[in-house]
């Protein structure tokens, strides 16, 4: 049996992207919610909940981006020129945010500046990730295996809406993470934020999902034609159940359930995205098989990945285990 290496690699990169969205999403969400916390102890505690793990979370971004370059070079060559601006702004946001993790503790006289860098960097990074997603979903103009669009094609009402949706969704992840990792009064405040951002996230899911299916007849047929609708119907049903679980977890003041429910919502949205796009890696233009590197290259890279991926998963799990439990005032990484 001949293994479809291009499809295997598409699954690996999709997993890396999903892992990044879930893991880095909640610490970006902390930054987005940061201005709602009281300066001083509350902000210190919130940052300490993510300080030990935030940089490890971004390993998945490197794996996803590096994997795209190595395994699907044609897709990389098309996507990057089309999305240079939002990707550059995202990286600048991550840089400012990353620097603030250390400098705000050492440079007390300018702590206000580093707090602002943490918030603005988190917001910009999340917004640009959503805009990048929206620009990709709406389609990229390709001619002769190269990007043929303009400099500002990525900036559309749809991409702005997806950008806002990602910001709101990350805020939900951040709020539920604070519910899990902190105690009152921060936890009570986070529960209120989780209710607000949870409702807003569900509204954004409905708006973006409906907008997406009307972007292209192919998307419409994958979701609403028969018998396809029978196979995709579990996705919105499970999303509704995850939303109900989020609500119940917050009402019953459970610590872990809201966070797991928020993750489930993101995973199901990611599955829905896969249903709309697969097997295209650049919608309507380039499939995963058209974009894939030679089979020998795919096999060579797969061997190394099968060695490294379990190691990444192991140290990620271990780091979360070591820093498990509540973070209390005056305690934490710093």
């Amino acid at each position: 049996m001949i293994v479809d290496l291009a499809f295997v690699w598409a699954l690996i990169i999709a997993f890396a992207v999903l892992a990044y969205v879930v893991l880095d999403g909640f610490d970006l969400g902390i930054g987005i919610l940061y201005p709602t916390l009281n300066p001083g102890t509350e902000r210190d505690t919130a940052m300490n909940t993510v300080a030990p793990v935030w940089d490890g979370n971004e390993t998945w971004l490197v794996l996803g981006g590096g994997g795209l370059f190595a395994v699907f070079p044609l897709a990389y060559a098309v996507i990057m020129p089309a999305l240079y601006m939002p990707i550059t702004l995202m990286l600048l946001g991550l840089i400012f945010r990353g620097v603030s993790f250390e400098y705000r503790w050492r440079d007390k006289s300018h702590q206000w500046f580093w707090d602002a860098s943490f918030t603005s960097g988190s917001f910009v990074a999340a917004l640009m990730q959503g805009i990048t997603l929206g620009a990709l979903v709406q389609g990229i103009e390709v001619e002769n295996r190269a990007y043929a669009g303009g400099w500002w094609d990525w900036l559309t009402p749809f991409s702005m809406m997806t950008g806002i949706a990602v910001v709101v969704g990350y805020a939900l992840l951040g709020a539920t993470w604070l519910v899990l990792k902190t105690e009152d009064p921060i936890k009570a405040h986070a529960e209120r934020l989780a209710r607000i951002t949870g409702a807003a996230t569900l509204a954004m899911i409905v708006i973006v999902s409906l907008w997406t299916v009307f972007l292209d007849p192919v998307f419409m047929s994958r979701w609403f034609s028969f018998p396809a609708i029978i196979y995709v119907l579990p996705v919105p049903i499970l999303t509704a159940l995850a939303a109900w679980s989020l609500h119940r977890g917050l009402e019953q003041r459970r610590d872990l359930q809201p966070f797991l429910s928020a993750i489930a919502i993101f995973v199901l949205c990611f599955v829905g995205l896969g249903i709309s796009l697969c097997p295209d890696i650049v919608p309507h233009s380039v499939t995963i098989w058209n974009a894939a590197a030679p089979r020998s290259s795919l096999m060579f890279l797969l061997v190394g990945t099968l060695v490294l991926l379990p190691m990444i998963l192991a140290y990620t799990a271990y780091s979360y285990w070591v820093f498990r439990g509540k973070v209390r005032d005056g305690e934490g990484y710093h």
Side-chain angles (χ1 to χ4, degrees):
M1 181 182 67
I2 298 177
V3 178
D4 188 344
L5 294 180
F7 185 72
V8 171
W9 265 108
L11 291 177
I12 292 173
I13 292 178
F15 174 77
V17 172
L18 178 60
Y20 171 76
V21 167
V22 170
L23 295 180
D24 208 40
F26 70 76
D27 62 59
L28 285 169
I30 297 296
I32 293 167
L33 298 175
Y34 208 61
T36 71
L37 300 172
N38 293 325
T41 302
E42 286 194 0
R43 293 186 177 182
D44 291 348
T45 302
M47 184 170 280
N48 269 323
T49 66
V50 294
V53 296
W54 74 271
D55 47 354
N57 293 341
E58 294 182 355
T59 301
W60 300 103
L61 180 63
V62 176
L63 178 59
L68 183 68
F69 172 75
V71 179
F72 299 111
L74 176 59
Y76 187 89
V78 169
I79 292 172
M80 286 302 294
L83 302 175
Y84 270 141
M85 179 62 76
I87 290 176
T88 299
L89 291 175
M90 178 196 73
L91 293 175
L92 288 174
L94 292 175
I95 290 169
F96 269 90
R97 174 177 162 276
V99 170
S100 67
F101 268 102
E102 301 299 333
Y103 275 61
R104 75 174 300 276
W105 301 93
R106 303 291 183 263
D107 186 13
K108 294 291 186 180
S109 60
H110 298 95
Q111 191 174 73
W112 62 271
F113 174 80
W114 300 115
D115 282 350
S117 296
F118 181 56
T119 298
S120 59
S122 299
F123 178 83
V124 169
L127 180 66
M128 291 302 124
Q129 287 175 19
I131 288 176
T132 297
L133 173 63
L136 182 63
V137 170
Q138 72 189 9
I140 294 174
E141 187 176 348
V142 179
E143 290 182 9
N144 299 320
R145 295 166 60 89
Y147 176 58
W151 180 251
W152 296 100
D153 285 8
W154 56 272
L155 189 60
T156 65
F158 177 73
S159 68
M160 288 299 298
M161 180 60 70
T162 56
I164 295 170
V166 169
V167 170
V168 173
Y170 281 178
L172 171 62
L173 285 175
T176 54
W177 174 258
L178 288 177
V179 170
L180 173 64
K181 297 292 290 184
T182 62
E183 298 178 330
D184 289 335
I186 302 178
K187 180 185 175 185
H189 178 61
E191 288 171 341
R192 291 191 293 271
L193 291 173
R195 291 187 182 92
I196 296 170
T197 55
T201 297
L202 292 175
M204 286 294 174
I205 290 172
V206 173
I207 293 170
V208 172
S209 297
L210 292 176
W211 198 334
T212 298
V213 297
F214 284 101
L215 284 176
D216 191 275
V218 174
F219 296 160
M220 179 71 73
S221 65
R222 290 180 179 179
W223 283 98
F224 293 110
S225 65
F226 186 85
I229 192 172
I230 297 175
Y231 300 103
V232 302
L233 191 59
V235 175
I237 292 175
L238 290 173
T239 303
L241 289 175
W244 177 83
S245 176
L246 172 66
H247 171 73
R248 292 294 295 169
L250 292 171
E251 287 297 313
Q252 297 175 1
R253 299 212 72 192
R254 295 178 180 175
D255 292 347
L256 181 59
Q257 184 175 329
F259 184 60
L260 293 181
S261 300
I263 290 176
I265 291 172
F266 266 79
V267 171
L268 289 164
C269 289
F270 197 78
V271 171
L273 179 65
I275 291 171
S276 297
L277 298 185
C278 188
D280 292 339
I281 195 168
V282 179
H284 322 309
S285 301
V286 182
T287 68
I288 57 176
W289 298 286
N290 297 143
R295 183 176 177 83
S296 57
S297 298
L298 298 181
M299 179 59 73
F300 175 78
L301 293 166
L302 183 61
V303 172
T305 301
L306 291 177
V307 174
L308 291 175
L309 192 57
M311 297 173 61
I312 296 173
L313 290 170
Y315 82 66
T316 299
Y318 181 69
S319 65
Y320 279 87
W321 173 256
V322 169
F323 293 100
R324 67 191 182 279
K326 297 284 188 178
V327 177
R328 297 174 176 83
D329 294 350
E331 298 178 354
Y333 178 74
H334 289 281

